[in-house]
Coordinates of all heavy atoms in Angstrom, one line a residue:
C1 N 0.8 -1.2 0.0 CA 0.0 0.0 0.0 C 0.9 1.3 0.0 O 1.9 1.3 0.6 CB -0.9 0.0 1.2 SG -2.2 -1.3 1.2
G2 N 0.4 2.3 -0.7 CA 1.2 3.5 -0.8 C 2.3 3.4 -1.8 O 3.1 4.3 -2.0
G3 N 2.3 2.3 -2.6 CA 3.3 2.2 -3.7 C 4.7 1.8 -3.2 O 5.6 1.7 -4.0
V4 N 4.8 1.5 -2.0 CA 6.1 1.1 -1.4 C 6.0 -0.3 -0.8 O 5.1 -0.6 0.0 CB 6.6 2.1 -0.3 CG1 7.9 1.7 0.3 CG2 6.7 3.5 -0.9
W5 N 7.0 -1.2 -1.1 CA 7.0 -2.5 -0.5 C 7.5 -2.4 0.9 O 8.6 -1.8 1.1 CB 7.9 -3.4 -1.3 CG 7.2 -4.0 -2.5 CD1 7.0 -3.3 -3.7 CD2 6.7 -5.3 -2.7 NE1 6.4 -4.1 -4.6 CE2 6.2 -5.3 -4.0 CE3 6.6 -6.4 -1.9 CZ2 5.6 -6.5 -4.5 CZ3 6.0 -7.5 -2.4 CH2 5.5 -7.6 -3.7
E6 N 6.8 -2.9 1.9 CA 7.3 -3.0 3.3 C 7.2 -4.4 3.8 O 6.2 -5.0 3.8 CB 6.5 -2.0 4.2 CG 7.2 -1.9 5.5 CD 6.6 -0.8 6.4 OE1 5.5 -0.2 6.0 OE2 7.2 -0.5 7.4
Y7 N 8.3 -5.0 4.1 CA 8.5 -6.3 4.6 C 8.2 -6.3 6.1 O 8.9 -5.6 6.8 CB 9.9 -6.8 4.3 CG 10.1 -8.3 4.6 CD1 9.6 -9.3 3.9 CD2 11.0 -8.6 5.7 CE1 9.8 -10.6 4.2 CE2 11.2 -9.9 6.0 CZ 10.7 -10.9 5.3 OH 10.9 -12.2 5.6
V8 N 7.3 -7.1 6.6 CA 6.9 -7.1 8.0 C 7.3 -8.4 8.7 O 6.9 -9.5 8.1 CB 5.4 -6.8 8.2 CG1 5.0 -6.7 9.7 CG2 5.0 -5.6 7.5
T9 N 7.9 -8.4 9.8 CA 8.2 -9.6 10.6 C 7.7 -9.4 12.0 O 7.7 -8.3 12.5 CB 9.7 -10.0 10.6 OG1 10.4 -8.9 11.2 CG2 10.3 -10.2 9.2
G10 N 7.3 -10.5 12.6 CA 6.8 -10.4 13.9 C 6.5 -11.8 14.6 O 6.9 -12.8 14.0
Q11 N 5.9 -11.7 15.7 CA 5.6 -13.0 16.5 C 4.1 -12.9 16.9 O 3.5 -11.9 17.1 CB 6.4 -13.1 17.7 CG 7.9 -13.4 17.4 CD 8.6 -13.6 18.7 OE1 8.8 -12.6 19.4 NE2 9.0 -14.8 19.0
G12 N 3.5 -14.1 17.0 CA 2.1 -14.2 17.4 C 1.7 -15.6 17.7 O 2.5 -16.5 17.9
T13 N 0.4 -15.8 17.7 CA -0.2 -17.1 18.1 C -1.0 -17.6 16.9 O -1.7 -16.9 16.2 CB -1.1 -16.9 19.3 OG1 -0.4 -16.3 20.3 CG2 -1.7 -18.2 19.7
N14 N -0.7 -18.9 16.6 CA -1.4 -19.6 15.5 C -2.4 -20.6 16.1 O -2.0 -21.3 17.0 CB -0.4 -20.3 14.6 CG -1.0 -20.8 13.3 OD1 -2.2 -20.6 13.0 ND2 -0.2 -21.4 12.5
Q15 N -3.6 -20.7 15.6 CA -4.5 -21.7 16.0 C -4.9 -22.5 14.7 O -5.1 -22.0 13.7 CB -5.8 -21.0 16.5 CG -6.8 -22.0 16.9 CD -8.1 -21.4 17.4 OE1 -8.3 -20.2 17.3 NE2 -9.0 -22.1 17.9
Y16 N -4.9 -23.8 14.9 CA -5.1 -24.8 13.8 C -6.2 -25.7 14.2 O -6.2 -26.3 15.3 CB -3.8 -25.6 13.6 CG -4.0 -26.8 12.7 CD1 -4.1 -26.6 11.3 CD2 -4.0 -28.0 13.3 CE1 -4.2 -27.8 10.5 CE2 -4.2 -29.2 12.5 CZ -4.3 -29.0 11.1 OH -4.4 -30.1 10.3
V17 N -7.2 -25.9 13.3 CA -8.3 -26.9 13.5 C -8.4 -27.7 12.3 O -8.5 -27.1 11.2 CB -9.6 -26.1 13.9 CG1 -10.7 -27.1 14.0 CG2 -9.5 -25.3 15.1
S18 N -8.5 -29.0 12.4 CA -8.8 -29.8 11.2 C -9.9 -30.8 11.6 O -10.0 -31.3 12.7 CB -7.6 -30.6 10.7 OG -7.2 -31.5 11.7
K19 N -10.8 -31.1 10.6 CA -11.9 -32.0 11.0 C -12.5 -32.6 9.7 O -12.6 -32.0 8.6 CB -13.1 -31.1 11.6 CG -14.3 -32.0 12.0 CD -15.1 -31.2 13.0 CE -16.4 -31.9 13.4 NZ -16.3 -33.3 13.7
V20 N -12.8 -33.9 9.8 CA -13.4 -34.6 8.7 C -14.9 -34.5 9.0 O -15.4 -34.8 10.1 CB -13.0 -36.1 8.7 CG1 -13.8 -36.8 7.6 CG2 -11.5 -36.2 8.5
Q21 N -15.7 -34.0 8.0 CA -17.1 -33.8 8.1 C -17.8 -35.2 7.9 O -17.2 -36.1 7.3 CB -17.6 -32.8 7.1 CG -16.9 -31.4 7.2 CD -17.2 -30.8 8.6 OE1 -18.3 -30.6 8.9 NE2 -16.1 -30.5 9.3
K22 N -19.1 -35.2 8.2 CA -19.9 -36.4 8.0 C -19.9 -36.9 6.5 O -20.0 -38.0 6.2 CB -21.3 -36.2 8.5 CG -21.5 -36.2 10.0 CD -22.9 -36.0 10.4 CE -23.0 -36.0 11.9 NZ -24.4 -35.8 12.3
D23 N -19.9 -35.9 5.6 CA -19.9 -36.2 4.2 C -18.6 -36.6 3.6 O -18.4 -36.8 2.4 CB -20.6 -35.1 3.4 CG -19.7 -33.8 3.4 OD1 -18.7 -33.8 4.1 OD2 -20.1 -32.8 2.7
G24 N -17.5 -36.6 4.4 CA -16.2 -37.0 4.0 C -15.3 -35.8 3.6 O -14.1 -36.0 3.4
T25 N -15.9 -34.6 3.6 CA -15.1 -33.4 3.3 C -14.1 -33.2 4.5 O -14.5 -33.3 5.6 CB -16.1 -32.2 3.2 OG1 -17.0 -32.5 2.2 CG2 -15.3 -31.0 2.8
Y26 N -12.9 -32.8 4.1 CA -11.9 -32.5 5.1 C -11.7 -31.0 5.1 O -11.5 -30.3 4.1 CB -10.6 -33.2 4.7 CG -9.5 -33.0 5.6 CD1 -9.4 -33.6 6.9 CD2 -8.4 -32.2 5.2 CE1 -8.4 -33.4 7.7 CE2 -7.3 -32.0 6.1 CZ -7.3 -32.6 7.3 OH -6.3 -32.3 8.2
I27 N -11.7 -30.4 6.3 CA -11.5 -29.0 6.5 C -10.3 -28.7 7.4 O -10.2 -29.3 8.4 CB -12.8 -28.3 7.1 CG1 -14.0 -28.5 6.2 CG2 -12.6 -26.9 7.4 CD1 -15.3 -28.0 6.7
E28 N -9.5 -27.8 7.0 CA -8.4 -27.3 7.8 C -8.6 -25.8 7.9 O -8.9 -25.1 6.9 CB -7.0 -27.5 7.1 CG -6.6 -28.9 7.2 CD -5.2 -29.1 6.6 OE1 -4.2 -28.4 7.1 OE2 -5.0 -29.8 5.6
H29 N -8.4 -25.3 9.1 CA -8.6 -23.8 9.3 C -7.4 -23.3 10.1 O -7.1 -23.9 11.2 CB -9.9 -23.5 10.0 CG -10.2 -22.1 10.0 ND1 -10.6 -21.3 8.9 CD2 -10.1 -21.2 11.1 CE1 -10.8 -20.1 9.3 NE2 -10.5 -20.0 10.6
Y30 N -6.7 -22.3 9.7 CA -5.6 -21.7 10.4 C -6.0 -20.2 10.7 O -6.6 -19.5 9.8 CB -4.4 -21.6 9.5 CG -3.9 -22.9 9.1 CD1 -4.3 -23.6 7.9 CD2 -2.9 -23.6 9.9 CE1 -3.8 -24.8 7.5 CE2 -2.4 -24.8 9.5 CZ -2.9 -25.4 8.3 OH -2.4 -26.6 7.9
K31 N -5.7 -19.8 11.9 CA -5.8 -18.4 12.3 C -4.6 -17.9 12.9 O -4.0 -18.6 13.8 CB -7.0 -18.2 13.3 CG -8.3 -18.1 12.6 CD -9.4 -17.7 13.7 CE -10.7 -17.6 13.0 NZ -11.7 -17.1 14.0
L32 N -4.1 -16.8 12.5 CA -2.9 -16.2 13.1 C -3.1 -14.8 13.5 O -3.8 -14.0 12.8 CB -1.7 -16.2 12.0 CG -0.5 -15.5 12.4 CD1 0.4 -16.3 13.4 CD2 0.4 -15.1 11.2
H33 N -2.7 -14.5 14.7 CA -2.7 -13.1 15.2 C -1.3 -12.8 15.7 O -0.7 -13.5 16.5 CB -3.7 -13.0 16.3 CG -3.7 -11.6 16.9 ND1 -4.4 -10.5 16.3 CD2 -3.2 -11.1 18.0 CE1 -4.2 -9.4 17.0 NE2 -3.5 -9.7 18.1
A34 N -0.7 -11.7 15.1 CA 0.7 -11.4 15.4 C 0.9 -9.9 15.4 O 0.1 -9.2 14.8 CB 1.6 -12.1 14.4
Q35 N 2.0 -9.5 16.0 CA 2.4 -8.1 15.9 C 3.8 -8.0 15.4 O 4.6 -8.9 15.8 CB 2.3 -7.5 17.3 CG 0.9 -7.4 17.8 CD 0.8 -6.5 19.0 OE1 1.5 -5.6 19.2 NE2 -0.3 -6.8 19.8
G36 N 4.1 -7.0 14.6 CA 5.5 -7.0 14.0 C 5.8 -5.6 13.6 O 5.0 -4.6 13.7
V37 N 7.0 -5.5 13.1 CA 7.6 -4.2 12.7 C 8.0 -4.3 11.2 O 8.7 -5.3 10.9 CB 8.8 -3.7 13.5 CG1 9.4 -2.4 13.0 CG2 8.3 -3.6 15.0
G38 N 7.6 -3.4 10.4 CA 8.0 -3.4 9.0 C 9.4 -2.9 8.7 O 10.0 -2.3 9.6
S39 N 9.9 -3.1 7.5 CA 11.2 -2.7 7.2 C 11.4 -1.2 7.1 O 12.5 -0.7 7.2 CB 11.6 -3.3 5.8 OG 10.6 -3.0 4.8
L40 N 10.3 -0.5 7.1 CA 10.4 1.0 7.1 C 10.1 1.5 8.5 O 10.0 2.7 8.7 CB 9.4 1.6 6.1 CG 9.6 1.2 4.7 CD1 8.5 1.8 3.8 CD2 10.9 1.6 4.2
G41 N 10.0 0.6 9.5 CA 9.8 1.0 10.9 C 8.4 1.1 11.4 O 8.1 1.4 12.6
T42 N 7.4 0.8 10.5 CA 6.0 0.9 10.9 C 5.6 -0.3 11.7 O 6.0 -1.4 11.3 CB 5.1 1.0 9.7 OG1 5.6 2.1 8.9 CG2 3.7 1.2 10.0
E43 N 4.9 -0.1 12.8 CA 4.4 -1.3 13.6 C 3.0 -1.7 13.0 O 2.2 -0.9 12.6 CB 4.2 -0.9 15.1 CG 5.5 -0.6 15.8 CD 5.3 -0.3 17.2 OE1 4.4 -0.9 17.9 OE2 6.0 0.6 17.8
Y44 N 2.8 -3.1 13.0 CA 1.6 -3.6 12.4 C 1.0 -4.7 13.3 O 1.8 -5.4 14.1 CB 1.9 -4.3 11.0 CG 2.2 -3.4 9.9 CD1 3.5 -3.0 9.6 CD2 1.1 -2.8 9.2 CE1 3.7 -2.1 8.6 CE2 1.4 -2.0 8.1 CZ 2.7 -1.6 7.8 OH 2.9 -0.7 6.8
V45 N -0.3 -4.9 13.2 CA -1.0 -6.0 13.8 C -1.4 -6.8 12.6 O -2.0 -6.3 11.6 CB -2.2 -5.6 14.6 CG1 -3.0 -6.8 15.1 CG2 -1.8 -4.8 15.8
M46 N -1.0 -8.1 12.5 CA -1.4 -9.0 11.4 C -2.4 -10.0 11.8 O -2.2 -10.6 12.9 CB -0.1 -9.6 10.9 CG 1.0 -8.6 10.4 SD 2.5 -9.4 10.0 CE 3.2 -9.7 11.6
N47 N -3.3 -10.3 11.0 CA -4.3 -11.3 11.2 C -4.4 -12.1 9.9 O -4.6 -11.5 8.8 CB -5.7 -10.8 11.5 CG -5.7 -10.1 12.9 OD1 -5.5 -10.8 13.9 ND2 -5.8 -8.8 13.0
W48 N -4.3 -13.4 10.0 CA -4.5 -14.3 8.8 C -5.6 -15.3 9.1 O -5.7 -15.8 10.2 CB -3.2 -15.1 8.6 CG -2.0 -14.4 8.2 CD1 -1.8 -13.0 8.1 CD2 -0.7 -14.9 7.9 NE1 -0.6 -12.7 7.7 CE2 0.2 -13.9 7.6 CE3 -0.2 -16.2 7.8 CZ2 1.5 -14.1 7.2 CZ3 1.1 -16.4 7.5 CH2 1.9 -15.4 7.2

């Protein structure tokens, strides 16, 4: 965003859930919540 690439690194918590449904469908779900600092010094909160 803003036309400039900013690389962000940080630490956080990952939650993983996997389940086979009654119809045989397999579902995997990942959630990540982290805080980090970008290469330009900006602090970010990241959610995946």
Side-chain angles (χ1 to χ4, degrees):
C1 291
V4 178
W5 282 75
E6 187 168 14
Y7 183 74
V8 183
T9 58
Q11 287 184 290
T13 303
N14 191 2
Q15 181 181 6
Y16 167 78
V17 177
S18 68
K19 183 163 177 40
V20 177
Q21 304 296 304
K22 288 181 181 181
D23 66 356
T25 303
Y26 180 72
I27 297 175
E28 285 185 60
H29 188 74
Y30 299 88
K31 280 188 175 182
L32 170 77
H33 177 76
Q35 295 192 28
V37 178
S39 55
L40 301 176
T42 306
E43 291 184 39
Y44 288 93
V45 174
M46 297 173 285
N47 291 296
W48 296 3

